């Protein structure tokens, strides 16, 4: 792996573990096995490197979600595949956790990939739900946009509950609960 790649990957890991504030340039350099000169040769500074890391993480999250959303099955089956895919629940969402970081939220450049990812996810969920409704899989009265926001809120809240409990069980219960609500809106 090249030095810029090691720096980006190390930053991604540290942002997920410690957040932006807790991720120092020295910690990035140590984890990447790179010197200060190398870091500043490839990146203008911590914000530039963090932006590259956040952008990559957001892109990977979208690609992983799209794999389930565009897969086979009904709308509810595809959403279930997305919600139940393998994830490190106790570490939380690598993008969602950034919303708790005041420095990321205060910086428009760092905040942009977070906001864009959540907007994309809401829109993609809504489109899968609308497709299910249009195919007669879901009740005609189902509001795809509101339901997509609910699914996202349950997912992010499930991470929080799991982290607070130190157990994945609250996350699984939240996912099962929202899928039960979706199942109740399947067309007869």
């Amino acid at each position: 792996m090249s030095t810029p790649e090691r720096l980006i990957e190390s930053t991604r890991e540290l942002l997920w573990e410690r957040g932006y504030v807790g991720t120092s340039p020295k910690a990035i350099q140590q984890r990447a096995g790179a010197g200060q000169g190398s870091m500043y040769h490839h990146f203008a500074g911590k914000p530039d490197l963090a932006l590259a890391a956040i952008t990559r993480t957001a892109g990977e999250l979208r690609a992983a979600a799209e794999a389930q959303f565009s897969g086979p099955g009904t709308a509810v089956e595809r959403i279930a595949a997305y919600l139940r895919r393998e994830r490190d629940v106790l570490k939380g969402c690598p993008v969602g956790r950034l919303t708790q970081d005041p420095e990321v939220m205060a910086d428009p450049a760092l905040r942009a990939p977070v906001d864009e990812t959540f907007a994309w996810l809401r829109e993609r969920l809504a489109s899968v739900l609308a497709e299910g409704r249009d195919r007669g899989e879901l009740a005609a009265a189902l509001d795809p946009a509101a339901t997509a926001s609910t699914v996202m809120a349950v997912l992010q809240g499930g991470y929080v509950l799991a982290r607070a409990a130190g157990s994945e069980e609250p996350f699984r219960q939240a996912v099962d609960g929202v899928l039960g609500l979706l199942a109740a809106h399947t067309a007869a």
Side-chain angles (χ1 to χ4, degrees):
M1 201 182 313
S2 68
T3 300
E5 286 298 310
R6 287 194 325 269
L7 288 163
I8 291 169
E9 288 304 310
S10 296
T11 303
R12 289 177 62 195
E13 293 167 8
L14 289 165
L15 287 172
W16 197 9
E17 292 168 15
R18 303 178 183 181
Y20 184 82
V21 173
T23 299
S24 69
K26 183 175 178 92
I28 295 167
Q29 294 159 19
Q30 286 176 337
R31 185 164 294 191
Q36 182 176 354
S38 292
M39 181 174 150
Y40 290 103
H41 171 74
H42 297 291
F43 299 94
K46 179 181 166 183
D48 185 41
L49 182 52
L51 179 59
I54 293 167
T55 300
R56 181 172 296 170
T57 297
E60 286 182 6
L61 186 142
R62 287 191 302 272
E66 185 57 37
Q68 276 88 37
F69 295 149
S70 61
T74 66
V76 173
E77 289 168 345
R78 289 181 285 151
I79 290 170
Y82 165 69
L83 292 173
R84 290 189 170 137
R85 73 181 166 96
E86 189 173 325
R87 43 181 102 225
D88 195 343
V89 172
L90 294 180
K91 282 180 77 176
C93 175
V95 175
R97 285 194 60 185
L98 295 169
T99 65
Q100 300 302 311
D101 197 310
E103 288 192 34
V104 170
M105 292 296 97
D107 184 324
L110 295 177
R111 182 185 182 140
V114 174
D115 185 42
E116 290 163 7
T117 298
F118 282 137
W120 176 87
L121 186 55
R122 266 190 314 277
E123 289 169 15
R124 194 62 183 98
L125 279 163
S127 72
V128 170
L129 290 162
E131 180 185 317
R133 185 190 60 192
D134 294 346
R135 285 200 267 184
E137 299 167 3
L138 295 166
L142 182 97
D143 179 340
T147 305
S149 290
T150 301
V151 170
M152 286 185 60
V154 168
L155 179 66
Q156 292 300 315
Y159 280 122
V160 171
L161 294 173
R163 286 176 55 85
S167 165
E168 293 184 10
E169 187 56 28
F171 180 89
R172 281 193 288 275
Q173 287 176 339
V175 166
D176 289 347
V178 78
L179 290 173
L181 293 172
L182 282 175
H185 289 321
T186 56

